Amino acid sequence: MNQPLSYWQTFSIVLMRDLKVAVRNKGDVFNPLIFFVIVITLFPLGIGPEGNTLTRIAPGIIWVAALLSALLSLERLFKNDYSDGSLEQMLLSPQPLFIMVFAKVLAHWILTGIPIILAAPLLALLLQLETNAYGAMLATLALGTPILSLIGAIGVALTVGIKKGGVLLSLLILPLYIPVLIFATGAIEAAALGLPYSGHLAIIAALLVGALTLAPFAIGAALRVSTN
Amino acid sequence: MHFANFNDFIDMGGYAFFVWLSYGCAFFLIISLTVVSVRRRKSLLREIQSKQQRDEKLKQLRKGKNSNEPKT
Amino acid sequence: MWKWLHPYAKPERSYQLASTLLPWFSVLSITTLLIGIIWALGFAPVDYQQGESYRIIYVHVPAATLSMSVYMAMATAALVSMVWQLKLADAAAAAMAPIGAVLTTIALITGAAWGKPMWGTWWVWDARLTSELILLFLYLGIIALHNAFDDKVLAGRAAGILTLVGVVNIPIIKYSVEWWNTLHQGATISKLDKPSMSTDMLLPLLVNILGFVLMIGAITLIRFRNEVIARNAMRPWVKELIAKELK
């Protein structure tokens, strides 16, 4: 007789499956990253190459680009699973939805958040970010991008059953990203001025903890509505 | 009455444009929301009515067919 | 204790209740608003600092404060519909979303029209105006999500989840915007909240707020009836209603 899967096994199976699927279609991993790079290079072209201006707006540009590329990559989080029916199977399975949702969001973050964090120092170089702000930038991205994946997943779960969900998704999600944007850029600016920024990081961490605990429930409820 | 005459009232101490813009916009938005909401009821009822009539017709057609069938 | 409430879970009963309440709300709101606005425009004393332009607050403040309350009412309705599976609460929430969006728009327009003579520009990134703008985005998102579903019941549930997610986020957004505002501009002088307002200025404001509340109630009732009809199109009582109203 089959042993029922433990929570940990469920979690790792879903996670590995999502990673494997993404590795097979490499575009899924690289397109958001390329988008991130292109958006950031557009800003100096649009604003002008003066170093001072770029230095001042670099934190904002990097974070807005991160928001947009997260948004762009979100749609595929549940889309394929929804259209081939495996999402419904997940909802029907005896394992708690919380864990599976969690694994999927983590997979999304590994595939889109981590590449952005890795590419950010290079792009910050292009934008001539203050040298002492690099640590703050990496820290805010490391704490902030998981929040983007978690909150974004709520929006995707709500819109997955809708035909043209793309624009709608951005309308639903971007306003909810505002606190992360504000505190993250605030931290980077504080670091650039040589001020302490641990307070900002603490707030972002608090937002992350809040999102970690509450978002999976919202995602689960939204998925149940969408697959109805 | 706070204002001495009607012209003073319209002029609003030189702020006429801003004051009347605010009140005008608010009035316009609220009235249009109300009108849209009230009209929606009528159009909704009509939509449902035409749908019911369509269903009714379909039912009659089907009934007509069924009663014809034994003869043929 | 709550037994008397149970019959109103039936759409027909709620519809009838809404129909009986509607004339009262309409008449009361129109009279209160007429009194309040005439008082505010014609009889309230002038503000010695801002001149006559301060009369804008008699629309701005009710719209701004109530735009938030409408969101809270929507969130309450969404919670009720989730916890007790009460479909009518979704209808109420759906009825309120456009009203909230209109109130937020009014608050933004009047805020800008008041800011132009006071600050010299139509728009400043003041904490209150910014969070009001974000609130408008939240409302628009909820309305858009509601319209994206063909099935009204599903639309109501999806919009309910989004409303609750929004209500968790609103305090965070408000706090973060305030913090951002003080960081970038120093303390801005918010002239809209004068701590001490003289009574003859405050009274018309309170009358207007009451008028707005009644008006929101009336429009909610109108829209709530529409939502109930749309969700119960196949019921016999709707058929009777149609027979009675469209001959």
Side-chain angles (χ1 to χ4, degrees):
Chain A
M1 195 187 140
N2 282 353
Q3 198 74 15
L5 289 171
S6 72
Y7 289 172
W8 174 246
Q9 276 172 315
T10 318
F11 181 79
S12 55
I13 286 173
V14 176
L15 179 64
M16 292 319 284
R17 170 180 167 277
D18 268 30
L19 292 180
K20 238 180 248 168
V21 169
V23 168
R24 296 226 173 110
N25 337 321
K26 295 197 177 51
D28 279 1
V29 186
F30 288 106
N31 289 352
L33 186 63
I34 295 169
F35 175 81
F36 181 64
V37 175
I38 290 178
V39 167
I40 285 184
T41 48
L42 285 181
F43 274 91
L45 295 174
I47 290 166
E50 302 108 277
N52 282 339
T53 326
L54 288 180
T55 307
R56 236 194 69 60
I57 59 175
I61 295 175
I62 289 171
W63 259 96
V64 170
L67 293 188
L68 293 178
S69 80
L71 193 70
L72 199 72
S73 62
L74 272 167
E75 207 172 344
R76 65 130 207 280
L77 185 57
F78 295 120
K79 197 97 206 171
N80 290 338
D81 288 353
Y82 175 78
S83 43
D84 69 11
S86 43
L87 191 63
E88 231 156 309
Q89 295 303 318
M90 274 185 212
L91 290 175
L92 289 173
S93 76
Q95 265 67 35
L97 189 57
F98 188 100
I99 288 172
M100 285 182 280
V101 162
F102 212 75
K104 287 188 78 67
V105 174
L106 182 65
H108 175 262
W109 179 69
I110 291 174
L111 293 167
T112 59
I114 290 184
I116 285 178
I117 297 173
L118 294 179
L122 214 64
L123 295 162
L125 211 64
L126 292 182
L127 295 174
Q128 307 181 359
L129 187 74
E130 294 278 351
T131 24
N132 44 1
Y134 277 78
M137 183 190 70
L138 289 176
T140 54
L141 282 172
L143 286 172
T145 45
I147 307 179
L148 303 185
S149 296
L150 282 163
I151 297 180
I154 302 173
V156 188
L158 283 171
T159 54
V160 73
I162 299 168
K163 289 244 161 53
K164 287 175 201 149
V167 187
L168 182 61
L169 176 67
S170 50
L171 194 61
L172 305 186
I173 289 308
L174 283 177
L176 302 177
Y177 280 172
I178 288 170
V180 183
L181 176 69
I182 288 176
F183 286 113
T185 51
I188 302 175
E189 275 165 19
L193 295 171
L195 300 169
Y197 57 90
S198 53
H200 307 81
L201 286 188
I203 291 176
I204 300 175
L207 291 178
L208 176 59
V209 172
L212 276 174
T213 43
L214 295 177
F217 290 109
I219 298 167
L223 284 178
R224 288 196 198 282
V225 172
S226 287
T227 52
N228 204 325
Chain B
M1 187 80 187
H2 170 72
F3 294 98
N5 55 45
F6 190 69
N7 276 342
D8 273 7
F9 174 67
I10 293 295
D11 189 49
M12 278 289 153
Y15 293 113
F17 175 66
F18 303 109
V19 172
W20 294 116
L21 177 78
S22 305
Y23 278 80
C25 280
F27 185 75
F28 173 75
L29 284 170
I30 288 169
I31 291 296
S32 29
L33 177 68
T34 317
V35 168
V36 166
S37 309
V38 169
R39 278 205 191 148
R40 175 80 191 123
R41 187 182 134 84
K42 272 269 142 71
S43 69
L44 202 62
L45 287 178
R46 245 177 236 129
E47 267 168 42
I48 296 172
Q49 190 187 33
S50 66
K51 193 172 170 342
Q52 281 175 353
Q53 282 168 349
R54 211 161 49 228
D55 288 353
E56 204 69 18
K57 242 179 225 165
L58 276 175
K59 219 185 266 173
Q60 298 240 309
L61 270 177
R62 221 168 286 147
K63 223 184 248 165
K65 241 187 211 162
N66 283 346
S67 57
N68 282 342
E69 265 167 21
K71 287 182 196 161
T72 52
Chain C
M1 179 184 171
W2 296 102
K3 263 266 151 70
W4 59 272
L5 204 59
H6 289 179
Y8 292 105
K10 260 168 84 184
E12 195 180 351
R13 286 294 293 274
S14 309
Y15 182 89
Q16 282 162 357
L17 180 69
S19 300
T20 30
L21 286 179
L22 182 58
W24 292 98
F25 270 86
S26 323
V27 170
L28 279 177
S29 70
I30 289 171
T31 36
T32 323
L33 277 177
L34 269 180
I35 295 169
I37 283 173
I38 291 171
W39 192 352
L41 280 175
F43 295 90
V46 68
D47 185 89
Y48 73 98
Q49 251 186 334
Q50 305 169 27
E52 310 287 357
S53 78
Y54 98 99
R55 291 181 198 281
I56 292 173
I57 70 162
Y58 290 116
V59 226
H60 177 83
V61 170
T65 41
L66 293 175
S67 65
M68 200 64 216
S69 322
V70 169
Y71 198 96
M72 289 305 149
M74 260 171 63
T76 316
L79 191 70
V80 166
S81 102
M82 276 214 154
V83 174
W84 288 290
Q85 302 287 316
L86 196 62
K87 297 272 154 48
L88 283 172
D90 273 341
M96 277 186 272
I99 304 173
V102 163
L103 286 176
T104 343
T105 315
I106 292 174
L108 284 171
I109 292 175
T110 53
W114 182 86
K116 177 68 182 161
M118 287 302 113
W119 286 315
T121 52
W122 288 100
W123 182 264
V124 284
W125 288 94
D126 162 75
R128 286 150 162 261
L129 282 178
T130 311
S131 33
E132 196 71 20
L133 183 65
I134 297 168
L135 183 64
L136 177 64
F137 293 155
L138 290 178
Y139 272 124
L140 293 180
I142 290 166
I143 295 170
L145 185 65
H146 207 277
N147 290 338
F149 283 89
D150 291 327
D151 184 341
K152 281 273 180 191
V153 176
L154 278 187
R157 285 173 59 195
I161 293 171
L162 187 66
T163 313
L164 290 177
V165 171
V167 92
V168 174
N169 265 276
I170 279 178
I172 303 173
I173 291 175
K174 252 192 131 65
Y175 170 68
S176 66
V177 166
E178 256 158 47
W179 179 83
W180 162 83
N181 192 247
T182 50
L183 179 78
H184 287 270
Q185 303 192 331
T188 35
I189 319 108
S190 243
K191 283 182 186 162
L192 283 185
D193 57 344
K194 308 199 84 194
S196 56
M197 230 177 157
S198 68
T199 336
D200 41 358
M201 281 183 181
L202 191 64
L203 268 179
L205 183 61
L206 295 179
V207 172
N208 262 353
I209 290 178
L210 178 68
F212 264 73
V213 169
L214 291 167
M215 178 193 74
I216 292 166
I219 303 177
T220 306
L221 287 174
I222 295 173
R223 301 190 65 90
F224 175 74
R225 293 203 307 175
N226 292 349
E227 294 288 333
V228 173
I229 293 175
R231 278 153 211 249
N232 296 280
M234 291 297 133
R235 295 293 161 83
W237 67 269
V238 176
K239 218 175 254 181
E240 278 164 32
L241 192 76
I242 290 170
K244 209 162 59 185
E245 297 213 8
L246 309 168
K247 268 154 210 161

